[in-house]
Structures are given as structure tokens and as C-alpha cells.
Amino acid sequence: MASNWCKRLAGLCSTVAAALAAALAVLLPGVAGAEASSGAYTVVGDAIPFPLNGAKGDAARGREIILNRHVGLCLLCHSGPFPEERFQGTIGPDLKGTGARLSEGQIRLRIVDPGRVDAAAVMPAYYRSEGLTRVAPAFRGKTVLTAEQIEDIVVFLATLRD
Ligand code: HEC
């Protein structure tokens, strides 16, 4: 009896979820490189232990996003083991060895919302859409990077172990 209910409930849930996903796809205009709002995630200590989109990222893509001066803009402030890049920043810590210092979950929170680690953080929140000030109208309510892009970056930075 109980298992029957579970089955029917699960069926209902997946129908509702599919309808929601379809509605969202219609409602959200296709914004390149930005999500309409940050999805829910759980912070445990100083980390977000699970991938934002439930999927493991791709390290090669993560490296590209970090180096891309139009997408991640990370090298404005950071330097790292990227010998081909001439101009690298010095405002933030060197990204070399990030994976040896921090777990994937710790890296994830530091990119999603550094202000949750240190209220005085200088680094922008790459996956926050609320509580920001002076955001240009076209970007209001949107995240800088998508959950997928953040996951790509997390996996890549975790490989920087020395
Ligand atoms: C405006 C400058 C700036 C930009 C842009 C920036 N960061 Fe940062 N980042 C910092 C600073 C400064 C810190 C140290 C914590 C703080 O004060 O915010 C930091 C900390 C970090 C840390 C933690 C490092 C550690 O060893 O504790 C990681 C990882 C990181 N940044 C990755 C990135 C990535 C990836 C990007 C691009 C998607 C990026 N940052 C963009 C300034 C920046």
C-alpha cells in the first residue's frame, strides 16, 4: 500500500518537474553565460559539498573559462600555472596549488559566493543573483556564470595540486 503511494507520488513529482522545466525553458530568455537566478545549494561549514547542477564538471572547459578574459575574468585578479598568458593579476592569491589547499566543496563556495567565507571578500560572487547593489539593468537578477561553468572551474582548480 505504502509503496504504491510512493510510486504514484514519484510519478506525480516527475510530471510536475517536467512541466516546470518546460515552462522555465519558455520563460527564460537565452542569456549567454548567465543564469536567471542562482539555484538552491547547501553550505556545510565553509564548503558547498555537492555540485550545483548535480553533475561533475569538465576540467578542460574550466581552464578555458578561467583564461577567457570575456567570461571568467579570473586573471584580472589571479595568476596561476598558465605559462601562455602574459598578463596575470596579483590582487587575489595565486591559483597554483588550489587543489592541495582546498577541497572541491571549499573551492565551490569561494567561487559561488566568497562573502560567505569572509564578509570583507574582494572577489565577486559568481553565482549569486540577490543582495547585490548597483547592478546594470540588463544583468539584474542574473548570475555571472552558470552552475555548469562553476562546476567546470571547480574540477579544474581541484587538479592544481602543486
Ligand atoms: C576582482 C578580483 C577577483 C576576481 C575577478 C576573481 N577573484 Fe578569486 N579571489 C580574489 C581575492 C582578493 C581572493 C581572496 C579572498 C577575498 O578577499 O575575496 C580570491 C580568492 C579566490 C579563491 C580562494 C583561493 C585560496 O587559496 O584561498 C579561489 C579558488 C578563487 N579566488 C578563484 C577565482 C576564479 C576561478 C575566478 C574567476 C571565475 C576568480 N577567482 C575571480 C579576487 C578575485
Side-chain angles (χ1 to χ4, degrees):
M1 183 78 165
S3 74
N4 237 346
W5 270 109
C6 290
K7 272 184 202 143
R8 283 164 70 178
L9 206 60
L12 182 69
C13 284
S14 62
T15 312
V16 171
L20 262 178
L24 275 175
V26 174
L27 287 174
L28 300 178
V31 182
E35 252 157 34
S37 71
S38 46
Y41 55 82
T42 306
V43 178
V44 179
D46 73 335
I48 300 173
F50 300 109
L52 299 170
N53 58 354
K56 195 151 178 78
D58 178 281
R61 277 203 313 251
R63 189 179 197 277
E64 276 170 31
I65 295 165
I66 290 178
L67 298 194
N68 189 316
R69 311 262 172 177
H70 302 287
V71 183
L73 233 85
C74 314
L75 298 190
L76 189 69
C77 299
H78 291 279
S79 46
F82 315 117
E84 72 272 37
E85 291 294 320
R86 277 185 69 202
F87 301 106
Q88 303 189 21
T90 53
I91 294 169
D94 195 323
L95 294 176
K96 186 172 173 276
T98 303
R101 292 191 296 273
L102 301 168
S103 70
E104 284 199 6
Q106 288 174 316
I107 297 171
R108 190 174 288 111
L109 180 58
R110 280 154 181 78
I111 297 165
V112 163
D113 194 355
R116 303 263 322 233
V117 179
D118 174 2
V122 170
M123 177 162 151
Y126 277 87
Y127 195 67
R128 200 172 92 197
S129 55
E130 268 100 52
L132 304 169
T133 51
R134 305 210 307 180
V135 177
F139 298 106
R140 261 175 219 155
K142 292 175 186 146
T143 62
V144 178
L145 295 179
T146 64
E148 193 188 10
Q149 288 173 318
I150 305 251
E151 291 308 322
D152 293 341
I153 292 176
V154 166
V155 168
F156 170 69
L157 288 179
T159 66
L160 302 183
R161 303 202 63 88
D162 40 44

